[in-house]
Amino acid sequence: QDMDAVTLQLKWVTQAQFAGYYVAEDQGFYEEENLDVTIKAGGPDIAPEQVIAGGGADVIVTWMAAALAARERGVPLVNIAQPFSTGGLQLTCLKETGVESPEDFPGRTLGVWFFGNEYPFYAWMAQLGIDTDGADEEGVTVLKQAFNVDPLLQGQADCISTMTYNEYGQILDAGYTEEELVNFNYLEEGVGMLEDGLYVMEEDLEDEAFQDKMARFVRASMKGWKWAEENPEEAAQIVVDNDMTGAQTLEHQVYMMGEVAKLTEGSNGALDPEAYQQTVDTLLSAVSEENPAITEEPEGAWTHDITDEALEGGS
Amino acid sequence: MSPVISAKSLDLTFQTNDGPVHALKDVNLDVEKGEFVSFIGPSGCGKTTFLRCVAGLETPTGGTLTVNGMTPDEARRARAYGYVFQAAGLYPWRTIGGNIRLPLEIMGYSEAEKRKRVTDTLALVDLDGFEKKYPWQLSGGMQQRASIARALSFDAEILLMDEPFGALDEIVRDRLNEELLSLWARTEKTMLFVTHSIPEAVYLSTKIVVMSPRPGRISDVIDSPLPKERPLDIRDSREFIEIAHRVRDGLRAGMEAA
Amino acid sequence: MSPVISAKSLDLTFQTNDGPVHALKDVNLDVEKGEFVSFIGPSGCGKTTFLRCVAGLETPTGGTLTVNGMTPDEARRARAYGYVFQAAGLYPWRTIGGNIRLPLEIMGYSEAEKRKRVTDTLALVDLDGFEKKYPWQLSGGMQQRASIARALSFDAEILLMDEPFGALDEIVRDRLNEELLSLWARTEKTMLFVTHSIPEAVYLSTKIVVMSPRPGRISDVIDSPLPKERPLDIRDSREFIEIAHRVRDGLRAGMEAA
Amino acid sequence: MTDTAPLAAQGAGIGRSGRVALWARGFSHALLPVVTVVAALLAIWYLACIPMNASNSVLQAARADVAVSPESASDRRGMSGLALAVRNPGVAVAGAFDQDRARLPAPHQVAAELWAGTVGEPVTSNRSLIWHGWVTLSATLLGFVFGTVLGIALAVGIVHSRVMDMSVMPWAIVSQTVPIIAIAPMIIVVLYSVGIQGIVPKAIISAYLSFFPVVVGMVKGLRSPNGMDLDLMATYGATKVQTFWKLRLPSSMPYLFASLKIGIAASLIGAIVGELPTGASAGLGARLLAGSYYGQTEQIWAALFAAAILAALCVGLLGVIERALLGRMGMKT
Amino acid sequence: MTLVIFAFVLWAAAWALNAQLANGPGRNGAVTRLAVPLIFGATLLGMWELIVRGLDVPMVILPAPSVIAETFVARFGTLWEDFLQTFLKGALSGYVIGCLAAVGVAIVADRFAFLRRGLLPVGNFMAALPIVGTAPILVMWFGFDWESKAAVVVVMVFFPMLVNTVAGLADTGAMQRDLMRTYGASYWQGLVKLRLPAAMPFIFNGLKISTTLALIGAIVAEFFGSPIRGVGFRISTSVGQLALDMVWAEIVVAALAGTLFYGAIAALETRVTFWHPSHRS
Ligand SMILES: Nc1ncnc2c1ncn2[C@@H]1O[C@H](COP(=O)(O)OP(=O)(O)OP(=O)(O)O)[C@@H](O)[C@H]1O
Ligand SMILES: Nc1ncnc2c1ncn2[C@@H]1O[C@H](COP(=O)(O)OP(=O)(O)OP(=O)(O)O)[C@@H](O)[C@H]1O
Ligand SMILES: Cc1ncc(C[n+]2csc(CCO)c2C)c(N)n1
Ligand SMILES: [Mg+2]
Ligand SMILES: [Mg+2]
């Protein structure tokens, strides 16, 4: 019989950050649910929110801050599942530069990812009361960091953004040891935000068939995630096999899978409303010109309907 | 017999950025069938302009001009004439044969007819065997003959030639002059021929039109008493030198009047 | 008095991709101070090449050549001559005045001297008032006069002219010929003049060098018996026509021999 | 033949045939200077590796407990590579040419990476540069065809219609000042949403960059026949269409090829730019980007050189076609 | 749907009007020359507006020109700051350095035939390369601020400029060169009085090509790391924020800057190479 087609748009290039989906595809979990899933890799300038608004995808992986911002701009995204229960974003500094705590930031150059990743950073700086328009006694110089660790290695920044599961590993690979580095984890600083959730368009959800399709999709995806957590080596291999650039190394993907597993661990896919509220509060605490994520409390930005149905059907 | 070409008080003024240029003023001329008419005069006196009017490439601003009893434009569409430019102007991407075939293609001749005419006209200008060559593989004189062949191929009654030998050296020029005369004698076409060279004009023509500039007009029309048969050394004859003298005087008078 | 220019069994062979070209073969010629020497011959006979050798722009492969007793290269550095090319070759980004000033700048004349010489030479070639114009704003004849002025401005003893009037029409050419003669009479420079035109050569020269091609060599040297004072209509005189005949015969003989 | 070349003549060297002599002359004339310049560039490259990689060489030496100066890492921070190399010459030279994440990989490292990516991998592998090159090339060629067709069509319109000439030409110039990289992601997303994906969006970006030189060149070319050539057509009473096919088009060929060569280079840039920000998962642009993400400088350089070779091949091929075609058309180039 | 139909009616009407103007009595007047392209551009904008509204294209896919214009006015301060960063600091400085360096090298290459014969093929080769690809490397070398942008621009404009200048310096007639020799002119005299002036049309050709390259280079480089201002920075972050109106406003800035830059060089060209046949009135 005909399978239901689903197109998933990822936030980033093929890597173990998205292992659950690739595993589900590879291990036939989607097929079991009668789904024909197309996974579209993303890239530094692909905004999944834009793709889904244009009809290029049924469901996307993105960060909650970006999704809420898009919602305010007229792309009514709804979180239907949250495989990542915690986040891996952090700011990593070299000890040799003398940064030990946030009090040392003024006068420094900090590397920040934009493209939807800047919201937690601005929220944090607002909380600390640090200006972001230039390095002096009160302020820091913000550098739009490309998605690599060069600024730190080349001495162009004192601290850079890293993900526990990716760039941090690259810094270690480059020869620095954990002792030589200082990490500020956004969650621990109280400005964490939910990462890598699954989002769909609100109007699509009104369709029963679509709801059902998504429930099956989430169920299969979560199965993929759990499989990946248990079989990190195989999962990494599946990711590498799906990487068309040929640039990923198995070694790095195994590392990444190990770290990602720590973030998905304990999630059954259902969004934790408290974590959602923390994300919203953090965003609202730092509304400004350069940080126009959201200006008011969103309504209906998430639902448990899909995960409820998924968990039911699965058990 | 009515004249092949008849110009009555022809006038042409170009509108340019620096104001109007009066290129032709009150030009009256009748050319009978089979005549060889040369136009001579200093640079800018309107020789080319007159030829272009006859060819329908330029539209006079006054007077009347008929070619074979039609307007020049009708005559152009009726392919009443062949035109030979100062430089050979062969298309470099076509062989000599291809260049001669060009007008035939445009006029829609049949394939067999095209082939025949190309062979014939090449023979006429003494270029047999060069059909497959490209223009740059030929000397300047041969190129010029090819361009004449191109104008002859579709057998128009009238041949308009604008300084066809201007770029050639004296010795080659002499030979081409001789050949042109014999061609004319054989085909009995009506020739309009522009030149800068007095000996050339005198040697070739049955009628020499001397023009003078600013505004361009005809200052003298000389009917040549020379016989139709003209060996090259006719140029040292008394009569020849006399006509040449008259032409030169006409030219000088025109210059001073201007 | 030793000759200004003296060539003894001069030889020049160009190495080209199609093999060597023997451009000059066994050329012997002496030119005395104040002479007006014309070179005539069919295309490719080596006229330009000879002039370039004299100018030190080409190096002979055999024989000896002296200019003012020096090698041509030394003479070039000593700015012993002015050179006029076939086309005017004025630099289009300079005004007429600027073009004439060019050699003076290079030779390091003072500002006042430059100004004076530009004015003087412009007057000499009858171009006063055109100093500020750009070359393309002038007619071909005026440009050619400006290029002569440029060669005259620094007052070299020798003037080398390679078909300076080749591109002009007969009437303008006549006038420039007259002017050139009077200039020569006034300044007593030594002139080497290349031309394609028999009347021009005969009209201007005290000595006519007829050359023939493949390989380029001198086939005849004719000393002109014409007086120094030459009105234009000297060209209809018996003597003139005789010399012209001799030149033409020389040319034809050279052609057939080749 | 009366002139026999004397034995002493140039190129008549003993024991060499004329052909060899000619080749030798061609070599010393054309090839030798190029080889020299390239060799000089390589030498400069190798030299530059020393200061460029000095900070990493020194860091690694320090880790291996070799004495370096200055000793503390924070003192070294902010020092230029040249200064470090001068103070630690031995260490800097020793470490300059074989680093894993070199700031400037040495030529042989890049060559090895190129070799591994081309010969060392089956062409179907996603690690094969040939495969990635093909992905980029196919978009390049498709875009080039789009761009060329569009460019020629516009040029024909511009030459024949005054309105088009006056209205389209200025905007064609403006169009090239739009930073294509900025719209590249949007083009891709917009096409995505109407169901077009894969090679076509990249090709459209390529076409956007390559149509312009073709328009400019073809307008020039189609207008290159002089008044006399056009008048000749008029004397035959030729129609516009006949004039186009028999005169304008043939005489525009040299211009066309000149602009095609620029166009294909632009097209390649377009394909690579199209692969850069949009997460294309294959192609030389994607390789470049992936190399940048994971600090694999050798990979970046290898992708760059692969692109360079691709460009050279494309332009060279056009040159061959040009010579063959124009030669057959009797136009010497 | 009516709006879409109306868009095509607008197109037809404007084209008819332009045809009138372009072939009418004032066809060569300055007004017509300006009006025709402007009407054409305005028509395109009008159609864009009507189609976007008619088909209800989402803002995050393609904003209407009127929305872009509003944003342009409202955020002018930011746009200006970005313009200064990208254009003045990045593109212009790199352009000047790159062009000067290329002309310098070309002069040296012109002096030594051996160098020229070696450098010209290499330069031609390099000029055809996708040099934008060096952007990530140069950002790594020169840091994230404008210096790296300038470096990318230098590399991008260098080779087209070099090739053009070398060709230009060689583009003197044999007669023009011989004239210099008959004056016994020194190398430098020949350079200053003959070859440089003669090369000007070529040099300007290179300068014009380089204007667009410079802008593209500077913007592309910003995608690989930048301070938090600049056209490229704003475009990429605004896409992330789905502020497509801002993206387009930046594109307008870039197009305006590019057009003015090109226009300025073209105007300078007309003044400097007034003598060239293509510029004589
Ligand atoms: N298309 C044109 N536009 C404006 N003026 C023109 C045009 N064609 C010719 N003229 C002018 O008309 C006059 C006559 O030109 P024409 O070409 O007929 O002279 P000509 O006698 O053929 O001269 P030449 O011997 O130099 O060929 C000249 O002053 C010329 O500048
Ligand atoms: N630089 C060169 N290299 C090779 N061959 C040359 C060179 N210059 C001239 N020649 C050849 O030398 C011969 C003499 O040429 P030259 O230019 O001196 O003739 P000319 O008498 O001035 O002819 P024209 O009347 O056409 O100007 C010709 O066969 C020409 O092809
Ligand atoms: C939805 C989503 N948003 C941002 C990131 C950020 N991020 C995480 S890793 C990485 C660089 C490449 O590994 C970047 C930019 C993400 N992963 N997923
Ligand atoms: Mg004429
Ligand atoms: Mg000559």
Side-chain angles (χ1 to χ4, degrees), chain C residues 14 16 21 23 41-50 58 86 163 196:
Chain C
F14 287 110
T16 72
V21 174
S43 198
C45 69
K47 307 180 292 295
T48 297
T49 305
F50 180 72
E58 218 73 74
Q86 166 150 22
E163 294 193 54
H196 260 131

Side-chain angles (χ1 to χ4, degrees), chain A residues 6-19:
Chain A
V6 174
T7 304
L8 170 68
Q9 172 69 55
L10 303 180
K11 170 78 173 170
W12 195 250
V13 299
T14 304
Q15 58 181 1
Q17 180 190 3
F18 309 106

Side-chain angles (χ1 to χ4, degrees), chain D residues 32 197 212 245 251 281 295 314 323:
Chain D
L32 189 64
Q197 46 180 301
F212 184 69
W245 286 110
S251 42
S281 35
C314 289
R323 233 162 297 144

